[in-house]
């Protein structure tokens, strides 16, 4: 081979390399503010993963176990971690976080720090290891593994003392050493309270700094350098993500990845982040697959409808948050088939909605791109790499836009945007306009973008669209633009009841509503809704909407109604209050009104009682209590007692007493089933205690469920 031939081959190779990887002579933008670590960038790209909730609570119906339940109740018949991982992968998840120990202290691995573990059960003759099995299953199905070990331990005799911290640190060492790579370690803010505590059965509080999170951070990082830290972690600022501030799967429309303190108690700021925050602390949004929301298996909660499930995608991932979905393992030891169907239906819809990016075929122009260099041209926003390549403006250009020319009129209703967050988060405002008869007409707008932002809007048709971005940073970056025409989803019917027990159902325009009364109605029991349903004695109603033109159906929604309150009267109360805070609000049938014990001068501490005359004797099977749900935790009742009477004088021992578990983070209607139905006319409900030892009580609505 001659030198000339070698030179020619070398020239061709160099040309191919240059064509494949254009080299820019223009300097990239300088990083703006804090930027994500390599671990955080990997975490951002995961987007969607699950929190596996399984343990003794699965078999007791509790959300927060007291710590005294016998391990003997743990009796799965078909425990299959492969099924968990397979379903998660099929549903589009990229990882699973196991609740390896919840507040009850029961460990799903054979820890040497306590006897209260999976080894104390009869499952696999005491030789089982659920965490180990799940680690293998995740590797098998290409998922990453995460772990949650609750700091609060209601079983451990030494909780609140130094010995427990030694054992807690050792639990982390066990998990981090023997189960392979851990992508996220999960913490929450539950800190002390009542518990079994080795038989003491008392309330314990902990001093500030008791958990020594900074020391724990070092222990974890030494063993798992690539892990991300979620939740309440005072003093920890690197490789963290913050809680979004609610358990509803609801990130705010403005969501900065920057923040100062993941241990903050300001729920609003936890949601929005801080535009000028010191650290990169992006948001993780969590909620449950079950509705009403329950983390652990509950037969009275059903999986979300397709509409509800798809909405969660837009309010989490679509608002610059990672989505952590609580998966409730059933008593058999598998994800229930009803939940599997819901997860896969969501995946199928999203695959269809985002199958084809209309922006890819558009002719894209920008009123500015960095140094007029090909590396930063607007086409970088629609190439095959949505993360690493990007359009950028020149320094000093803080307001710029892209125009998409589709050549012909097209229909679309979704806009997807991603910033090049490796260099920081910049955009604080953006708008989307369409060309309508030669004029620009705005169809969507937003504030922050971050890793990913998706907007939905009514379907529009146009041949041209204009995207405009604004920043206070020296310049703009944008790594991905998606324009999609997602298929419609039928809206779910909405049911409500008045004080007399008359239930009305509304649904989408031009749709028919079908309903059935009863716990688990067969499909042929549904009938056409033509007017209000008389449910004076209460009951369960299921309903769905049918589009008469297309034949498409909504999901089936289910709601339980209490007995009629038309004859109810409040005959006594420890603090009746007045006006907008009157105790009468407790039985007005309106979940938006509230009784609270904040008087004109000061708050009045619990306990507080209310006595209700139902007007007739009723077979009481359960009661419901709707806590305040306006974003404030002041006055949220977490411990109660209930008395029943036939004459309003003789009350006897409480019929029910207990706690509303996790009500601070999950202020939904609480339903408490009695051990057996009791015939009574009078009710005495006592709010014994409020969360965080609040000095008042706040409740929106009280109700009674009867089996007859």
């Amino acid at each position: 081979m001659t030198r000339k031939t070698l030179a020619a081959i070398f020239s061709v190779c160099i040309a191919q390399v240059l064509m494949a990887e254009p080299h820019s002579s223009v300097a990239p933008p300088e990083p703006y503010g804090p930027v994500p670590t390599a671990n955080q960038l990997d975490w951002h790209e995961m987007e969607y993963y699950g929190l596996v909730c399984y343990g003794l609570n699965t078999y007791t119906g509790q959300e927060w176990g007291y710590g005294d339940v016998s391990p003997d109740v743990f009796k799965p018949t078909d425990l299959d971690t492969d099924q968990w991982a397979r379903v998660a992968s099929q549903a589009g998840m990229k990882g699973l976080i196991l609740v390896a120990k919840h507040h009850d202290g029961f460990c799903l691995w054979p820890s040497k720090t306590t006897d209260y573990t999976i080894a104390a059960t009869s499952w696999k003759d005491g030789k089982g290891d659920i965490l180990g099995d799940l680690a293998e299953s995740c590797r098998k199905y290409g998922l990453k593994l995460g772990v949650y070990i609750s700091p609060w331990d209601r079983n451990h005799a030494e909780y609140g003392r130094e010995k427990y911290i030694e054992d807690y640190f050792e639990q982390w060492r066990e998990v981090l050493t023997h189960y392979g790579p851990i992508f996220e370690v999960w913490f929450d803010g539950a800190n002390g309270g009542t518990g079994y505590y080795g038989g003491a059965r008392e309330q314990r509080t902990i001093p500030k700094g008791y958990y020594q999170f900074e020391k724990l951070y070092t222990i974890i990082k030494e063993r798992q350098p690539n892990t991300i830290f979620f939740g309440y972690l005072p003093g920890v600022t690197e490789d963290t993500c913050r809680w979004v501030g609610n358990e509803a799967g609801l990130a705010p429309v403005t969501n900065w990845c920057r923040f100062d303190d993941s241990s903050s108690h300001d729920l609003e700021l936890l949601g929005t982040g801080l535009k000028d925050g010191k650290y990169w602390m992006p948001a993780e949004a969590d909620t449950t697959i079950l509705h009403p929301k329950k983390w652990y298996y509950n037969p009275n909660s059903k999986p979300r409808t397709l509409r509800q499930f798809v909405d969660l995608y837009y309010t989490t991932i679509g608002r610059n948050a990672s989505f952590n979905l609580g998966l409730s393992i059933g008593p058999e030891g598998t994800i229930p088939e009803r939940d599997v169907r819901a997860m896969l239906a969501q995946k199928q819809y999203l695959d269809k909605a985002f199958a084809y990016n209309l922006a890819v075929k558009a002719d894209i122009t920008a009123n500015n791109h960095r140094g007029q260099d090909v590396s930063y041209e607007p086409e970088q926003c629609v190439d095959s790499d949505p993360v690493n390549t990007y359009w950028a403006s020149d320094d000093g250009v803080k307001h710029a836009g892209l125009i998409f020319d589709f050549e012909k009129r097209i229909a679309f209703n979704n806009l997807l945007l991603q910033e090049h967050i490796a260099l920081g988060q910049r955009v604080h405002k953006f708008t989307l306009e369409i060309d309508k008869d030669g004029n620009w007409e705005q169809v969507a707008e937003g504030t922050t973008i971050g890793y990913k932002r998706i907007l939905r809007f009514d379907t529009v048709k146009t041949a041209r669209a204009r995207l405009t971005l604004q920043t206070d940073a020296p310049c703009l970056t944008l790594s991905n633009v998606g324009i999609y025409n997602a298929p419609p989803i039928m809206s779910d019917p909405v049911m409500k009841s008045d004080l007399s027990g008359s239930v009305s159902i509304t649904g989408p325009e031009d749709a028919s509503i079908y309903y059935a009364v009863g716990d688990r109605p067969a499909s042929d029991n549904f009938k056409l809704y033509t007017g209000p349903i008389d449910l004076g004695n209460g009951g369960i109603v299921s309903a769905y909407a049918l589009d008469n033109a297309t034949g498409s159906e909504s999901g089936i929604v289910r709601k339980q109604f209490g007995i009629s309150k038309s004859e109810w009267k409040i005959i006594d109360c420890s603090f009746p209050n007045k006006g907008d805070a009157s105790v009468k609000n407790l039985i007005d049938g309106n979940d938006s009104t509230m009784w609270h014990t904040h008087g004109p001068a000061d708050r009045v501490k619990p306990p507080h009682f209310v006595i209700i005359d139902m007007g007739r004797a009723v077979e009481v099977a359960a009661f419901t209590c709707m806590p305040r749900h306006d974003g404030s935790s002041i006055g949220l009742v977490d411990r109660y007692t209930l008395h029943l009477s036939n004459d309003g004088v003789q009350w006897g021992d409480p019929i029910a007493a207990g706690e509303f578990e996790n009500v601070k983070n999950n202020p939904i209607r609480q339903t408490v089933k009695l051990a057996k139905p009791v015939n009574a006319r009078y009710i005495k409900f006592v709010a014994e205690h409020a969360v965080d030892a609040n000095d008042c009580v706040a409740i929106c609505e009280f109700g009674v469920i009867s089996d007859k």
Side-chain angles (χ1 to χ4, degrees), residues 57-178:
N57 292 344
T58 304
Y59 301 91
T60 63
Q62 296 174 299
E63 289 282 279
W64 287 10
Y66 192 72
D68 60 349
V69 174
S70 170
D72 291 340
V73 306
F74 187 84
K75 293 187 180 297
T77 56
D78 186 28
L79 204 163
D80 185 357
T81 58
D82 270 5
Q83 188 252 10
W84 306 356
R86 182 176 65 253
V87 171
S89 177
Q90 291 171 345
M93 290 181 173
K94 298 298 188 291
L96 288 174
I97 301 171
L98 179 66
V99 181
K101 186 189 81 170
H102 201 238
H103 308 323
D104 63 355
F106 183 72
C107 299
L108 296 185
W109 80 100
S111 175
K112 295 179 181 178
T113 65
T114 175
D115 295 330
Y116 203 50
T117 78
I118 197 69
T121 72
S122 59
W123 180 64
K124 289 190 175 181
D125 297 323
K127 296 180 174 59
D129 184 346
I130 294 176
L131 179 56
D133 290 348
L134 182 58
E136 287 293 332
S137 297
C138 284
R139 284 190 285 271
K140 180 176 179 179
Y141 288 96
L143 299 177
K144 295 183 179 182
L145 178 68
V147 178
Y148 165 32
I149 304 177
S150 170
W152 185 22
D153 190 320
R154 302 175 89 176
N155 173 267
H156 202 293
E158 297 299 315
Y159 179 79
R161 307 177 185 124
E162 184 61 30
K163 177 62 172 66
Y164 170 71
I165 294 301
E166 294 174 9
D167 285 349
Y168 183 58
F169 284 3
E170 185 58 29
Q171 288 174 359
W172 275 109
R173 291 187 185 99
E174 291 175 349
V175 166
L176 299 170
T177 304
H178 301 298

Side-chain angles (χ1 to χ4, degrees), residues 262-499:
S262 64
S263 64
S264 170
H265 294 286
D266 189 320
L267 300 184
E268 183 177 351
L269 282 183
L270 280 167
T272 62
L274 293 170
K275 183 179 180 181
D276 299 317
K278 300 176 185 176
Y279 309 106
W280 191 268
M281 291 184 181
E284 177 181 293
D286 59 337
T287 194
T288 66
I289 190 171
L290 297 181
H291 186 77
K293 182 158 63 70
K294 294 289 184 182
W295 291 101
Y296 285 88
Y297 175 80
N298 189 302
N300 296 319
S301 291
K302 304 298 181 186
R304 298 173 188 268
T305 66
L306 178 61
R307 180 60 182 253
Q308 293 167 343
F309 219 156
V310 170
D311 285 349
L312 282 177
Y313 177 81
Y314 284 94
T315 59
T316 56
I317 295 170
R319 292 183 180 175
N320 190 34
S322 289
F323 182 20
N324 187 2
L325 179 69
L327 301 178
S328 307
I329 306 303
E332 297 81 8
T334 59
I335 301 174
E337 187 58 34
R338 62 181 191 178
D339 299 1
V340 173
R341 288 194 298 268
M343 294 169 69
L344 298 185
Q346 186 217 38
K347 177 65 162 57
Q348 183 179 28
Y349 174 84
L350 293 174
D351 284 348
K352 185 182 297 184
F354 297 99
Y356 181 66
N357 183 1
L358 297 165
V360 170
K361 296 295 184 181
D363 180 31
I364 309 174
T365 56
N367 57 8
N368 179 273
H369 77 265
R370 193 171 188 83
Q372 295 298 303
D373 192 282
V374 65
S375 297
Y376 307 109
E377 64 185 4
E379 285 78 8
Q380 302 287 0
C381 293
V382 294
D383 62 9
S384 59
D385 186 346
V387 175
N388 298 304
T389 59
Y390 57 96
W391 162 80
S393 68
D394 285 319
D395 289 345
V397 177
K398 303 182 179 186
H399 185 289
L402 309 177
I403 293 178
F404 300 83
D405 190 335
F406 305 106
E407 295 185 354
K408 62 180 181 180
R409 282 166 58 84
I410 62 168
F412 56 90
N413 50 28
N414 272 239
L415 173 68
L416 183 153
L417 301 173
Q418 293 183 257
E419 287 186 76
H420 186 60
I421 60 169
L423 296 177
Q425 187 178 358
R426 302 163 184 260
V427 175
H428 67 255
K429 183 179 181 181
F430 65 90
T431 59
L432 179 68
E433 301 163 290
I434 62 170
D435 184 341
K436 186 173 183 180
D437 301 325
N439 297 309
W440 291 114
E441 180 179 285
Q442 182 173 302
V443 295
E445 65 177 340
T447 52
T448 54
I449 297 175
Y451 172 74
K452 183 173 284 188
R453 183 75 170 95
I454 309 173
L455 267 65
R456 292 181 290 183
F457 43 87
D458 292 338
T459 301
V460 297
K461 291 184 177 182
T462 188
R464 292 201 308 158
R466 180 169 70 177
L467 175 66
T468 304
L469 309 165
Q470 294 184 39
T471 184
D472 291 329
C475 66
L476 292 154
T477 72
L478 197 63
S479 64
N480 191 24
V481 177
I483 296 175
Y484 300 93
N485 191 31
I489 305 178
M490 283 283 290
S491 296
D492 296 328
V494 176
M495 296 184 278
K496 62 180 181 179
S497 173
D498 62 18
L499 287 176

